[in-house]
């Protein structure tokens, strides 16, 4: 948040009439405006926040997370064209075979050629269709 910016942002808040009346009286007695009184209150709140140890700990943790992410992104950019990518992970043949067997065994009550639930049918010809794509006479 840059303090050097002279750009103002409009902030609209809803407050109850009792607070509004009190704030109006304070501004009138001090010879200022509601805007000035609100800015003084915001500045005081910001100063109090700067001295809050819990808030400072959260800010430091956020800063560390940002710096870690920046380091990771910089490393990714640096390695983009210099390092060779890692080979794909090696799949244990037994576990791959077991998982394929499990998938085919799960539909023991299915008819020949029927697909297990959730699987997709191949892009081959539809039943009732000859190899040349013409429908059969059924």
């Amino acid at each position: 948040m840059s303090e050097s910016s002279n750009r103002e942002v409009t902030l609209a808040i809803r407050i109850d009439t009792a607070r509004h009346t009190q704030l109006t009286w304070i501004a009138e007695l001090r010879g200022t405006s509601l805007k000035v009184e609100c800015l003084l209150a915001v500045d005081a709140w910001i100063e109090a926040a700067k001295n809050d140890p819990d808030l400072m700990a959260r800010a430091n943790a956020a800063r560390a997370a940002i710096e870690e992410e920046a380091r990771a992104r910089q490393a990714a950019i640096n390695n983009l064209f210099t390092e060779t990518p890692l080979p794909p992970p090696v799949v244990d043949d037994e576990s791959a075979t077991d998982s394929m067997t499990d998938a085919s065994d799960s539909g023991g009550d299915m008819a020949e050629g029927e697909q297990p639930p959730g699987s997709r049918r191949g892009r081959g010809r539809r039943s009732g269709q000859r190899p040349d794509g013409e429908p059969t006479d059924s």
Side-chain angles (χ1 to χ4, degrees):
M1 309 239 205
S2 175
E3 292 183 33
S4 63
S5 176
N6 291 332
R7 184 171 172 252
E8 288 188 345
V9 176
T10 300
L11 176 66
I13 60 169
R14 292 182 183 267
I15 60 172
D16 57 82
T17 55
R19 286 189 176 120
H20 180 264
T21 302
Q22 291 175 356
L23 192 56
T24 301
W25 274 107
I26 293 169
E28 189 175 316
L29 293 170
R30 288 187 176 160
T32 62
S33 66
L34 283 174
K35 177 183 175 181
V36 169
E37 292 301 320
C38 289
L39 291 174
L40 290 171
V42 168
D43 289 343
W45 186 253
I46 290 171
E47 285 305 312
K50 289 178 182 179
N51 296 317
D52 181 350
D54 181 51
L55 190 61
M56 287 297 101
R58 290 180 188 190
N60 289 333
R63 181 181 294 119
I66 290 168
E67 290 171 356
E68 178 60 32
E69 181 182 349
R71 280 192 295 275
R73 294 178 86 180
Q74 288 172 345
I77 291 170
N78 290 340
N79 294 331
L80 184 62
F81 297 109
T82 57
E83 300 226 351
T84 57
L86 296 174
V90 177
V91 178
D92 184 21
D93 288 339
E94 287 182 29
S95 65
T97 306
D98 290 345
S99 65
M100 290 171 60
T101 304
D102 292 345
S104 63
D105 288 347
S106 65
D109 297 335
M110 291 189 296
E112 177 81 22
E114 188 177 338
Q115 296 291 321
S119 66
R120 297 183 66 177
R121 185 174 73 187
R123 292 188 154 254
R125 62 180 180 256
R126 296 183 188 137
S127 62
Q129 199 174 37
R130 293 193 306 235
D132 60 0
E134 291 296 317
T136 58
D137 297 331
S138 21

